[in-house]
Amino acid sequence: MMLKYIGNRILQIAILLVIYVAIVFFMLHAMPGGIKTLLISNPKLTPQAQEAIIRAFGLNQPLWLQFVDYMKNVFTLNLGISFSYYPTPVWNIIAERLPRTVLLFTVATLIAFFVGFASGKSLAWNRGKTTEYVSTVVGIITYTIFTPLLIFVMIWFFGSFLGIFPLNQFLNPDLWIHTRLNAQIVFLYILMTMVIIGAVMMVSYLMALRFSHKESTKKMIFYVSTAISIVFALFLWVVSPIGIYGADILWHMVLPVMTVTIISYAGNMLVMRDSMLETIKEDFITTARAKGLPDKVVRDKHAARTAMLPVVTNFVLSLGFVVSGGVITESLFSWPGMGMTLLDSTLAKDYPLAAGALIFTGIFVLIAHLVVDIVYAFLDPRIRY
Amino acid sequence: MRPILELRNLKMYYDTQAGQVKAADDVSFVLNEGESIGLVGESGCGKTSVSMSIMRLLPENARIISGNIFFDGRDVVKLSNDEMNKIRWAGIAMIFQAAMNSLNPVYRVGDQIIEAITAHEPNVTFEEARQRVASLYKLVGLDPERMDNYPHEYSGGMKQRAIIAMSLACNPKLIIADEPTTALDVIVQDTILRELEKIQRKLNMSMIYISHDIAVIAEVASRIAIMYAGKIVEMSDSVAIFKRPAHPYTVGLMSSFPSIRGEKKELVTIPGEPPNLLNAPDHCRFVPRCPFATDECWKAVPSYTEIESNHFVACFHPQNLKKRVSINA
Ligand SMILES: Nc1ncnc2c1ncn2[C@@H]1O[C@H](COP(=O)(O)OP(=O)(O)O)[C@@H](O)[C@H]1O
Ligand code: SF4
Ligand SMILES: [Mg+2]
């Protein structure tokens, strides 16, 4: 049942993806001069190189054949050569930058989700207090604030005023000049560490569900295995020679992550608060209280668990908003991910790279959508398969 | 017989911007072990307020002004919330008005019952709790296989049965059933109530049935208390109330339910507005709608008179007295 549902969703997302790529293709065609001009209109390209591109992309063929070729090229990751990084293939650039964006977004989104969830929950539970009023107002302000303004405030406050975080960029060149390490490799190690820790958390959670029916034992299994894996990972990083470089990258991540977190936090918090306020009026909450369950159990296990569903839905709806915020954030922090690539390549008229960045940002968003849909299906048993 | 529950002059008011809503005003009654009582009255007369006071599950704007609620010898009005949590479900369980929404949609029905068991009996293992749920399911006429389903996979009647099973989970001494079947169709309503009564007798529990439908209650409860505007206006055993209703309001309630098995009807046949509990007047509260009202009724609140053994009524002009005199004679 569940597998069938997931299969269906994957199919739907795949169809959406093809449609999306097609839209990008026709958009490029609608540009003055069409794709052909776009792909070769670069002074850096020699006539031979232009010939080669025309042949490789079949740019002299009829439109529908071009479309088929284009689709084939996209799905074989043959995205052309970047003008601005000539002669690096677009795919190589994207393969390097996509993980950075994925990391930035995933970390920020998870933090924003859990902090928004927890604060929205306790605000609703302790309703009517001044703290609720103040936090709601602050939430609405950060929710409606113009993203660049937020970023400048962040940069000024943490970078200049407090001076505790680097202002921009991916790493500190002064540090890396002394090493022959490849920053990308170090970065991938960081990513791998996080994925492994995430996997350990998930597996231990599922194990806990399976092997125990006592709330406290479940929690213990989960927290202990999470703590062990984190401590172990930290230990490995500290003793390894690349530890300091990893730390440098992480250090540079703090501000961008914080910014994207703030951008999506307020929405989560406000939706959670509203949803929680509605949920605690439900009859099943009265039932839970009548059963003599402790207040905390009523709040967390019954109210918050059910109130969380709209927050997940809201996340899907606000995905576009978070991505556009991400483009601005990456650019202003010079965080070399997909967002910055998208903006820079467009400004530099580097069309192959821009198209590639557009396509892969889209793929990323669609996959995020898929993941959230699947998570939702696990959270809400009422979902129809 | 030992009293399991005694309400003594309970006053519970809601604070609202318009003033105090006197939802329970001097409510007193005694319920013995193994006995059942029906609380009957139009919607808005304070039945749920009384039951929520007993459970101490009142909203924030509610206040118990005075009075006592003795459960098993202890005054629950004075208990802390933690102490109350021990009494909830293990001592007093509830079957709620809104069966449809009384179960949490994201958990399996069986697990929600097990949760109640393990909260009060921490030494019971998961397997033992499951077995208990299975036997409860059989008792209320549900297939034990269904305990692993989610609420949305149950029909309305099944949900109500599951909730009844849940109310029995911790072997409570008292169950309050607040309009347990109003949301269901008439036939299901009838079977479920009858089964509930059977279970109540079998397990020798005490029971408070709450309903606006006096005919339904008369069949299952041994005693009936009629509530009007936050007050109990008449109380006696079911037969006496049904055969010889003394309070004009009770008479009205009866005539608005002409047949016992008839369609469910709203109380439209008593003319006049249902009372406003705001700023309760210092005269009989039924007077604007009462066909027997006299000047006397506008001047004072009638106190209880015992018109026959254990039949109390708060009215200056009780009805059906003649018949009674001849019976007593
Ligand atoms: N939280 C509340 N605040 C103010 N008034 C309330 C509240 N809950 C119920 N009431 C009022 O108290 C009266 C009794 O309500 P209730 O006990 O629910 O009656 P019943 O269960 O007999 O229908 C009604 O007039 C209702 O409007
Ligand atoms: S006291 Fe008077 S007004 Fe009130 S119910 Fe009795 S007869 Fe009617
Ligand atoms: Mg009610």
Side-chain angles (χ1 to χ4, degrees):
Chain A
M1 288 274 269
M2 190 56 134
L3 283 179
K4 199 175 152 217
Y5 170 79
I6 294 175
N8 273 339
R9 291 301 294 153
I10 291 178
L11 199 69
Q12 282 171 18
I13 293 286
I15 293 171
L16 271 179
L17 197 67
V18 172
I19 295 175
Y20 175 74
V21 173
I23 291 176
V24 173
F25 172 79
F26 287 108
M27 242 168 59
L28 289 176
H29 251 281
M31 300 277 251
I35 271 194
K36 187 170 153 190
T37 332
L38 296 183
L39 283 187
I40 57 173
S41 65
N42 188 310
K44 276 191 205 157
L45 294 179
T46 60
Q48 290 94 316
Q50 295 188 349
E51 252 323 290
I53 290 175
I54 290 177
R55 243 182 294 113
F57 286 82
L59 294 180
N60 285 329
Q61 287 169 317
L63 187 61
W64 69 272
L65 259 184
Q66 280 193 39
F67 178 64
V68 171
D69 276 350
Y70 175 84
M71 282 299 206
K72 217 166 62 199
N73 283 332
V74 166
F75 289 104
T76 52
L77 304 177
N78 183 8
L79 300 162
I81 310 286
S82 162
F83 297 162
S84 27
Y85 298 91
Y86 187 81
T88 320
V90 167
W91 168 245
N92 292 12
I93 298 173
I94 287 175
E96 182 185 84
R97 296 187 173 186
L98 189 61
R100 297 174 185 165
T101 296
V102 171
L103 183 69
L104 177 66
F105 270 90
T106 316
V107 171
T109 301
L110 288 178
I111 296 176
F113 181 85
F114 284 107
V115 178
F117 170 80
S119 54
K121 176 182 87 178
S122 65
L123 285 181
W125 196 253
N126 305 314
R127 63 198 173 285
K129 304 232 169 84
T130 8
T131 40
E132 189 214 352
Y133 184 71
V134 174
S135 336
T136 309
V137 170
V138 171
I140 290 174
I141 291 173
T142 48
Y143 187 60
T144 44
I145 195 172
F146 185 51
T147 308
L149 182 62
L150 172 72
I151 294 171
F152 287 128
V153 171
M154 298 279 292
I155 291 181
W156 169 77
F157 187 71
F158 290 102
S160 308
F161 184 71
L162 293 180
I164 49 174
F165 289 119
L167 293 184
N168 55 20
Q169 288 184 332
F170 185 58
L171 42 76
N172 179 4
D174 295 344
L175 175 71
W176 289 73
I177 203 136
H178 305 299
T179 174
R180 301 223 324 272
L181 265 173
N182 182 337
Q184 186 63 12
I185 305 269
V186 176
F187 176 77
L188 288 178
Y189 277 132
I190 296 178
L191 198 61
M192 195 177 76
T193 312
M194 290 188 174
V195 168
I196 292 175
I197 292 178
V200 168
M201 285 170 77
M202 209 159 107
V203 169
S204 68
Y205 179 74
L206 293 177
M207 298 278 253
L209 277 190
R210 238 196 137 85
F211 290 121
S212 172
H213 300 292
K214 272 218 157 79
E215 214 55 47
S216 50
T217 336
K218 276 191 228 170
K219 270 191 188 145
M220 223 192 37
I221 296 179
F222 178 69
Y223 287 130
V224 167
S225 49
T226 304
I228 289 178
S229 62
I230 290 177
V231 167
F232 185 64
L234 277 180
F235 173 74
L236 284 187
W237 273 97
V238 168
V239 298
S240 89
I242 61 169
I244 180 156
Y245 300 101
D248 185 50
I249 292 181
L250 283 183
W251 195 237
H252 281 77
M253 257 180 76
V254 173
L255 264 190
V257 164
M258 226 151 79
T259 309
V260 181
T261 303
I262 291 177
I263 293 173
S264 54
Y265 159 77
N268 288 335
M269 185 269 275
L270 293 173
V271 173
M272 180 63 192
R273 175 180 158 274
D274 280 2
S275 163
M276 184 83 174
L277 282 176
E278 281 309 306
T279 307
I280 53 186
K281 287 188 214 140
E282 295 274 357
D283 295 316
F284 61 81
I285 297 302
T286 317
T287 311
R289 285 185 199 279
K291 283 200 277 192
L293 303 177
D295 249 24
K296 252 200 176 139
V297 177
V298 176
R299 184 193 66 192
D300 296 341
K301 189 175 168 194
H302 286 277
R305 169 67 177 76
T306 318
M308 171 171 133
L309 299 172
V311 185
V312 179
T313 314
N314 169 68
F315 172 73
V316 173
L317 297 177
S318 65
L319 210 54
F321 174 66
V322 176
V323 166
S324 64
V327 171
I328 303 172
T329 308
E330 283 191 359
S331 306
L332 290 182
F333 283 110
S334 316
W335 174 264
M338 294 303 283
M340 188 173 133
T341 308
L342 198 60
L343 198 71
D344 285 355
S345 58
T346 311
L347 292 180
K349 296 207 184 350
D350 184 351
Y351 294 109
L353 186 56
L358 207 56
I359 287 169
F360 275 89
T361 311
I363 292 178
F364 174 50
V365 170
L366 285 174
I367 288 178
H369 200 143
L370 177 70
V371 169
V372 176
D373 275 351
I374 293 173
V375 167
Y376 193 92
F378 275 104
L379 290 177
D380 190 351
R382 286 165 298 182
I383 198 109
R384 278 182 297 116
Y385 300 131
Chain B
M1 267 201 285
R2 213 164 66 90
I4 187 73
L5 181 76
E6 180 177 358
L7 266 64
R8 223 178 265 169
N9 302 96
L10 175 71
K11 285 187 198 221
M12 196 285 284
Y13 298 169
Y14 295 108
D15 291 320
T16 67
Q17 276 170 342
Q20 274 185 333
V21 175
K22 301 190 174 181
D25 206 4
D26 253 328
V27 172
S28 304
F29 65 84
V30 181
L31 181 63
N32 288 322
E33 257 176 4
E35 195 194 28
S36 59
I37 190 168
L39 214 51
V40 179
E42 284 166 296
S43 168
C45 69
K47 307 180 296 292
T48 299
S49 300
V50 169
S51 62
M52 289 311 203
S53 305
I54 299 170
M55 286 298 266
R56 288 268 313 277
L57 286 176
L58 295 166
E60 273 160 25
N61 66 332
R63 266 186 312 138
I64 294 182
I65 306 284
S66 62
N68 313 86
I69 300 171
F70 294 101
F71 172 74
D72 217 3
R74 288 213 286 172
D75 188 354
V76 300
V77 173
K78 298 195 177 72
L79 295 184
S80 73
N81 193 48
D82 283 345
E83 288 170 316
M84 203 54 220
N85 270 341
K86 293 193 190 114
I87 291 184
R88 292 183 185 130
W89 227 255
I92 314 171
M94 265 193 103
I95 300 167
F96 287 100
Q97 191 161 356
M100 299 307 119
N101 310 318
S102 291
L103 293 166
N104 191 325
V106 304
Y107 295 113
R108 295 172 206 279
V109 179
D111 289 348
Q112 299 189 44
I113 303 178
I114 291 168
E115 180 187 30
I117 298 173
T118 45
H120 293 285
E121 300 164 44
N123 295 327
V124 174
T125 67
F126 184 74
E127 271 317 309
E128 287 165 356
R130 268 187 83 85
Q131 265 153 29
R132 193 188 298 177
V133 175
S135 56
L136 287 171
Y137 263 48
K138 283 186 206 130
L139 183 69
V140 299
L142 283 174
D143 179 1
E145 300 256 306
R146 301 282 279 179
M147 63 195 266
D148 289 327
N149 287 148
Y150 288 95
H152 72 277
E153 296 165 310
Y154 279 41
S155 70
M158 289 170 68
K159 274 189 212 168
Q160 193 54 283
R161 283 169 199 272
I163 287 169
I164 292 173
M166 182 151 85
S167 73
L168 300 168
C170 299
N171 233 331
K173 292 194 168 125
L174 168 65
I175 292 183
I176 305 176
D178 189 349
E179 316 235 12
T181 55
T182 354
L184 306 173
D185 68 68
V186 187
I187 296 168
V188 184
Q189 203 178 90
D190 198 52
T191 24
I192 286 189
L193 267 184
R194 277 168 193 281
E195 280 167 24
L196 195 53
E197 193 208 358
K198 235 185 269 162
I199 293 169
Q200 180 245 329
R201 285 183 193 281
K202 189 169 146 193
L203 305 180
N204 195 34
M205 287 178 314
S206 309
M207 191 97 191
I208 300 179
Y209 293 97
I210 294 180
S211 176
H212 57 265
D213 187 337
I214 191 170
V216 165
I217 291 306
E219 279 185 67
V220 290
S222 49
R223 274 195 313 145
I224 289 183
I226 307 285
M227 263 191 99
Y228 186 76
K231 283 182 174 297
I232 291 180
V233 294
E234 183 170 6
M235 180 155 56
S236 184
D237 64 87
S238 310
V239 180
I241 295 250
F242 213 71
K243 294 233 165 98
R244 304 178 291 280
H247 197 280
Y249 178 62
T250 316
V251 176
L253 280 179
M254 307 274 275
S255 49
S256 60
F257 290 96
S259 75
I260 297 176
R261 296 266 136 264
E263 277 169 58
K264 199 168 75 190
K265 268 204 200 166
E266 287 306 309
L267 278 167
V268 284
T269 43
I270 303 182
E273 297 270 306
N276 182 356
L277 303 191
L278 262 179
N279 314 319
D282 48 3
H283 53 70
C284 174
R285 293 183 185 179
F286 191 52
V287 69
R289 299 165 77 186
C290 182
F292 309 103
T294 59
D295 287 350
E296 193 184 6
C297 307
W298 287 97
K299 287 190 187 115
V301 180
S303 52
Y304 292 107
T305 44
E306 189 170 8
I307 49 170
E308 63 182 318
S309 158
N310 271 318
H311 188 161
F312 298 89
V313 62
C315 172
F316 294 118
H317 311 293
Q319 303 300 302
N320 296 320
L321 279 181
K322 256 211 199 107
K323 221 178 349 181
R324 188 159 310 137
V325 171
S326 61
I327 287 164
N328 287 352

